[in-house]
Amino acid sequence: MISAWYLPTVISAAALGFYDICKKHAVRENSVMPVLFFATLSGTGFFVLMTLARGDAAQMFRCSGSGQVLVALKALLVSSSWICVYYAMRELPISLAAPIRSTSPLWTLAGGILLYREIPTWTQALGMAVILTGYMLFTLLGGREGFPWRSRGMRLILAGTLLGAASALYDKYLLNVRRLDPVMLQFFFSLDLVAVLGAAWAVRARFGHRHPFVWKWSIPATGILLILADFCYFYAVSVPAAPISMISLLRRCSCVVTFFLGAKLFHDVNLKRKAAALVLLLGGAALLALAK
């Protein structure tokens, strides 16, 4: 029988794949900070409307003072990760940036074992190893495309990936240890993100280089898709005994969607060689689904 956390995680992964495609389209030859701010603002507005339509408005405001501080810390962590990733996405090919971004489960896996004592079964461990092998192949193939690790884009995508892994471990703490309500968490987290990114944009505009900003349809689409992905993700993590290490691994299979659609749209190269790594990702995801 498929675990209760598996299907929401798969839906979240698919939404993340389309989110990456829209994100790449939005930041391509565009100013990053206003793109990030308006995408987040659009996502927050969509989340509020969705919550009101579901009749869960009362849940949004059930947050203590200490809970709001905890959520604000998550917003700072995620904002830092997104700023790094968005700037890297503007510079790197999507077939390289997305798989490298997907290596975050390696660090989440290590943290899940050390902090939460998540010991996988043999089948789950095999699935995790297969997925990680696929991620590593993506990274090696991308290195042949002329993007050394010392380049600005590669340093930024690595920093964003490590911060994203830390955020996944923090989610486990907020939802399963502190028992914060998922709807409330996403609501205050979204509001805090708008505030933090708005302040970051203001600082960047005042003291940084001003890149021309162009409005694109993909900007609000980026925010809305992320809200859908996070809604499914928070539900999966809130399932009792849900393993954060395996959820993070499976969620990063979003690069499958990115590969098939994004690489074609943005005319990336070496697609045949990267297809072998995709087979490993799918095989590992199947092992996770069948594990008991």
Side-chain angles (χ1 to χ4, degrees), residues 119-246:
I119 306 301
T121 65
W122 285 107
T123 306
Q124 290 170 337
L126 178 59
M128 293 158 67
V130 170
I131 291 176
L132 286 174
T133 302
Y135 290 148
M136 293 305 105
L137 280 178
F138 265 121
T139 305
L140 292 174
L141 290 170
R144 299 178 180 177
E145 297 183 16
F147 295 93
W149 283 104
R150 290 176 294 179
S151 66
R152 179 174 181 268
M154 295 296 280
R155 291 199 306 267
L156 285 171
I157 199 70
L158 179 59
T161 298
L162 293 175
L163 289 168
S167 175
L169 294 170
Y170 191 50
D171 290 338
K172 178 76 172 183
Y173 171 75
L174 294 179
L175 292 167
N176 281 21
V177 178
R178 297 301 297 260
R179 299 291 182 182
L180 297 185
D181 181 79
V183 176
M184 178 278 300
L185 172 60
Q186 194 167 6
F187 173 67
F188 280 101
F189 168 61
S190 299
L191 290 182
D192 290 344
L193 273 178
V194 172
V196 172
L197 292 173
W201 178 21
V203 172
R204 176 68 174 173
R206 177 66 179 84
F207 299 104
H209 172 71
R210 296 187 179 183
H211 193 286
F213 171 64
V214 178
W215 177 264
K216 300 180 181 181
W217 63 266
S218 52
I219 294 175
T222 298
I224 292 172
L225 284 168
L226 183 60
I227 288 296
L228 290 174
D230 279 352
F231 182 83
C232 295
Y233 165 69
F234 284 138
Y235 175 82
V237 175
S238 67
V239 172
I244 186 62
S245 55
M246 283 176 281

Side-chain angles (χ1 to χ4, degrees), residues 36-58:
L36 186 50
F37 173 77
F38 286 119
T40 304
L41 183 63
S42 299
T44 300
F46 175 74
F47 172 73
V48 172
L49 291 176
M50 183 176 65
T51 305
L52 292 174
R54 294 176 66 247
D56 294 333

Side-chain angles (χ1 to χ4, degrees), residues 3-13 228-229 231-233 235-236 239:
S3 301
W5 54 265
Y6 185 79
L7 184 58
T9 307
V10 170
I11 296 173
S12 178
L228 290 174
F231 182 83
C232 295
Y233 165 69
Y235 175 82
V239 172

Side-chain angles (χ1 to χ4, degrees), residues 235-284:
Y235 175 82
V237 175
S238 67
V239 172
I244 186 62
S245 55
M246 283 176 281
I247 288 176
S248 296
L249 281 168
L250 186 57
R251 195 171 186 243
R252 285 304 166 190
C253 285
S254 61
C255 63
V256 174
V257 176
T258 306
F259 179 88
F260 281 113
L261 296 180
K264 183 176 178 62
L265 288 172
F266 300 111
H267 308 292
D268 285 7
V269 297
N270 294 326
L271 300 185
K272 290 184 179 180
R273 293 180 179 180
K274 294 173 183 175
L278 280 180
V279 174
L280 291 175
L281 291 181
L282 294 174

